[in-house]
């Protein structure tokens, strides 16, 4: 098989691009002909409806105190923290309707037994307060309480009685500029999750992806909760395969006026020289930023090159290698093979034979290192997880359209992915979780997937935001 890439011609980039899409998007392509051999879908397993089949305990219930806001920062930190906790998959966040009678202020004493009577095992109180001696800054306060598991004390007969405020099991204060409250709220959530679960959260992060806009493709970035969608780079060119590099800059492959794809970075598409020839159709950057992996199209064939930017070396792979991804301990995953592509980790095939696989990513989860990727199933595609040696297949989506391009959260507990629009209402019953878009799901409880955006793109990446320097936020 030779891909239609005409070296030295104006059609090089376009021909390579179309060919690479045909290879790498095979998992979401049209259904095979009726006489094609179909792999046994049962080896992928099924997605449990509620976790009972996996023996998972119920999620602990959490109440979030509806503090009466005294300003915009109060409202914003409450909304962000509540939403992040709902997305985290670590707690069953209760409706505001279940809160004990208020009103609640920053200093209102909390009767934890009353929250326990409503079913809450944990209670969060978050609010903002002015920063001392600096009107341009504020402080976000987060307090986590554990409700008592015992009989409630008898109510006081004194109508003026004010219950003493209990001591929180955890308290954090995050200073921030008044213009950066949303970003600081994510950092507050990560600290609270670390205190309550033993593993900090991954919400102080962002995603990047490519999406078709008219006749072009453009890079976009979006916060971990689906807010602050913004374009990166030129709008009148074809951009592919974003990756986060040094300083949080977004690197990507770009072709302008059908020229060969080259590596660029940032909003201005500054060129990034690399020591390989050919058209760069994809890239990945290691978390320590010392190594790069490229998908290179040259003479009608694709290959993967790995190493420092000025000393890249071609990997020995099966034909048509593409979509490299870095993992812990210098592991490298990629897709290769013909006519059916499989996921390889360190040169060994790990994805189930017979299924067209694409877009691998490593997830360093609390339960161990996983490889997550897409496989073609019938006329759609599903997201699959397995260990890095190719065992313990775990299905994360089941039908409901094409579910593609998974990305793992920085804490390893969540997977984001695109879905084409056949998904039904989510397990929580929210109509907003139906239809096409960008979804987040807990890797241990994939039935809790929630939609965070209506955007549908490709080549999704998810990485932590570089923490601000001390005193800047």
């Amino acid at each position: 098989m030779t891909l239609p890439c005409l070296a030295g011609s104006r059609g090089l980039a376009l021909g390579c691009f179309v060919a690479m899409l045909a290879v790498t998007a095979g998992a979401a392509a049209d259904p095979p002909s009726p006489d094609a051999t179909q792999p046994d879908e049962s080896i992928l397993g099924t997605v449990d409806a509620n976790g009972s089949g996996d023996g998972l305990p119920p999620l602990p219930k959490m109440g979030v105190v509806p503090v009466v806001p005294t300003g915009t920062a109060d409202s914003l930190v409450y909304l962000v923290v509540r939403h992040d906790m709902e997305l985290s998959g670590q707690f069953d966040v209760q409706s505001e309707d279940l809160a004990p009678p208020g009103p609640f202020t920053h200093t209102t004493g909390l009767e934890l037994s009353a929250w326990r009577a409503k079913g809450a095992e944990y209670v969060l109180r978050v609010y903002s307060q002015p920063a001392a001696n600096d009107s341009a800054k504020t402080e976000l306060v987060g307090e986590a309480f554990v409700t008592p598991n015992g009989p409630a004390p008898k109510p006081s007969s004194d109508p003026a009685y004010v219950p003493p405020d209990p001591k929180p099991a955890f308290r954090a204060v995050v200073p921030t500029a008044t213009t950066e409250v949303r970003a600081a709220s994510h950092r507050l959530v990560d600290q609270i999750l670390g205190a309550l679960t033993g593993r900090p959260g991954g919400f102080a992060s962002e995603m990047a992806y490519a999406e078709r806009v008219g006749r072009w493709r453009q890079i976009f970035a979006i916060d971990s909760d689906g807010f602050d969608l913004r374009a990166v780079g030129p709008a009148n060119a074809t951009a592919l395969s974003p990756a986060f590099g040094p300083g949080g800059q977004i690197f990507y492959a770009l072709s302008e006026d059908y020229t060969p794809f080259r590596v660029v970075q940032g909003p201005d598409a500054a060129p990034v020289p690399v020591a390989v020839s050919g058209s760069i159709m994809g890239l990945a950057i290691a978390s320590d930023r010392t190594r790069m992996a490229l998908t290179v199209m040259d003479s009608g064939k694709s290959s993967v090159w790995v190493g420092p930017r000025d000393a890249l070396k071609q990997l020995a792979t099966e034909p048509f290698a593409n979509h490299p991804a870095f993992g812990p301990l210098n592991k490298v995953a990629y897709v290769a093979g013909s006519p059916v592509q499989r996921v390889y980790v360190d040169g060994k095939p790990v994805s189930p034979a017979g299924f067209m696989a694409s877009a691998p990513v490593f997830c360093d989860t609390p339960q161990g290192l996983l490889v997550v990727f897409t496989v073609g199933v019938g006329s759609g595609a599903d997201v699959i997880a397995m260990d890095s040696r190719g065992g313990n297949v775990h299905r994360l989506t089941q039908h409901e359209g094409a579910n593609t391009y998974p990305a793992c959260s920085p804490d390893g507990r969540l997977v984001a992915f695109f879905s084409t629009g056949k998904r039904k209402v989510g397990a929580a019953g929210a109509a907003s979780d139906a239809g096409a878009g960008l979804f987040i799901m807990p890797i241990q409880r994939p039935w809790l997937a929630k939609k965070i955006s209506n955007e549908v793109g490709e080549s999704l990446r998810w990485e932590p935001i570089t923490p601000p320097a001390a005193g800047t936020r």
Side-chain angles (χ1 to χ4, degrees):
M1 175 181 177
T2 300
L3 301 181
C5 301
L6 306 177
S9 75
R10 178 181 172 87
L12 170 66
L14 183 59
C16 288
F17 176 53
V18 172
M20 279 299 296
L21 285 183
V23 172
T24 61
D30 292 335
S33 58
D35 60 347
T37 301
Q38 295 291 315
D40 181 8
E41 186 183 338
S42 67
I43 69 174
L44 303 178
T46 59
V47 177
D48 204 343
N50 55 18
S52 58
D54 291 332
L56 294 173
L59 289 173
K61 297 184 183 298
M62 172 180 282
V64 184
V65 180
V67 172
V68 177
T70 59
T72 303
D74 262 353
S75 299
L76 190 54
V77 68
Y78 172 81
L79 292 173
V80 171
V81 169
R82 182 181 183 87
H83 189 217
D84 283 358
M85 285 296 179
E86 291 171 342
L87 292 174
S88 74
Q90 301 301 301
F91 299 94
D92 180 1
V93 181
Q94 294 182 313
S95 166
E96 284 188 18
D97 297 338
L98 290 178
F104 300 96
T105 68
H106 295 183
T107 58
T108 300
L110 296 179
E111 289 196 71
L112 294 181
S113 58
W115 286 89
R116 185 75 182 204
K118 297 291 186 177
E121 299 163 72
Y122 295 90
V123 176
L124 284 188
R125 177 168 62 188
V126 295
Y127 56 89
S128 68
Q129 63 187 20
N133 305 318
D134 193 340
S135 62
K137 293 186 178 180
T138 189
E139 294 178 340
L140 305 184
V141 180
E143 298 172 326
F145 302 86
V146 180
T147 60
N149 188 11
K154 293 181 179 180
S156 172
S157 58
D158 182 0
Y161 170 75
V162 177
D165 204 18
K167 183 178 180 179
F170 174 75
R171 188 176 193 269
V173 178
V174 177
T176 180
T178 56
T179 56
E180 298 289 345
V181 170
R182 175 174 287 279
S185 298
H186 291 309
R187 299 199 299 274
L188 178 62
V189 170
D190 291 348
Q191 290 188 37
I192 294 172
L193 283 171
L196 298 184
T197 70
R199 192 178 182 103
F203 286 101
S205 58
E206 61 183 337
M207 304 180 202
Y209 62 91
E211 185 175 6
R212 187 180 182 90
V213 181
R215 58 182 293 199
W216 309 108
R217 273 178 169 80
Q218 192 171 10
I219 303 301
F220 291 88
I222 192 170
D223 287 353
S224 61
D225 59 352
F227 283 81
D228 195 20
L229 176 66
R230 60 240 184 232
V232 178
N236 57 345
T238 300
L240 309 174
S241 190
F244 290 94
Q249 281 277 18
I250 296 178
F251 289 57
Y252 49 100
L254 185 72
S255 171
E256 297 177 289
D257 195 26
Y258 304 107
T259 57
F261 284 87
R262 69 191 195 282
V263 180
V264 300
Q265 67 169 322
D268 298 329
V272 178
V274 293
V276 295
S277 60
S279 195
I280 310 301
M281 307 301 295
L283 65 148
I285 298 175
S287 59
D288 64 3
R289 310 311 188 209
T290 62
R291 294 185 303 151
M292 175 180 284
L294 303 178
T295 300
V296 181
M297 292 292 297
D298 195 15
S299 301
K301 298 179 181 179
S302 68
S303 57
V304 170
W305 294 65
V306 177
R309 183 160 57 90
D310 57 353
L312 292 160
K313 294 183 179 180
Q314 182 178 348
L315 293 183
T317 68
E318 294 296 309
F320 307 112
N322 65 89
H323 205 109
F326 286 106
L329 304 176
N330 295 321
K331 290 184 178 294
V332 176
Y334 56 87
V335 177
S338 178
V340 176
Q341 296 222 305
R342 298 180 69 183
V343 172
Y344 288 73
V345 174
D346 294 338
K348 298 178 181 179
V350 297
S351 62
F355 290 89
M356 180 70 87
S358 64
V361 63
F362 288 97
C363 282
D364 193 3
T365 77
Q367 292 73 41
L369 183 63
L370 300 179
V371 183
V372 182
F373 51 93
T374 295
V375 296
V377 181
S379 61
D382 280 322
V383 178
I384 305 297
M386 62 196 327
D387 65 46
S388 59
R389 298 180 301 276
N392 301 315
V393 177
H394 185 45
R395 193 169 189 165
L396 301 181
T397 67
Q398 189 166 357
H399 305 309
E400 298 185 311
N403 305 293
T404 57
Y405 295 105
C408 193
S409 64
D411 67 347
R413 292 187 287 208
L414 300 172
V415 171
F417 64 99
F418 292 112
S419 189
T420 58
K422 298 181 182 178
R423 297 184 64 82
K424 302 182 180 68
V425 171
S432 59
D433 290 334
L438 173 57
F439 287 76
I440 285 180
M441 62 181 164
I443 202 164
Q444 275 204 300
R445 291 176 166 83
W447 58 90
L448 296 179
K450 294 181 179 295
K451 185 164 69 173
I452 63 169
S453 171
N454 291 324
E455 303 299 315
V456 177
E458 57 199 33
S459 300
L460 184 65
R461 306 282 186 172
W462 191 354
E463 291 206 13
I465 295 173
T466 302
T472 60
R473 286 187 180 180

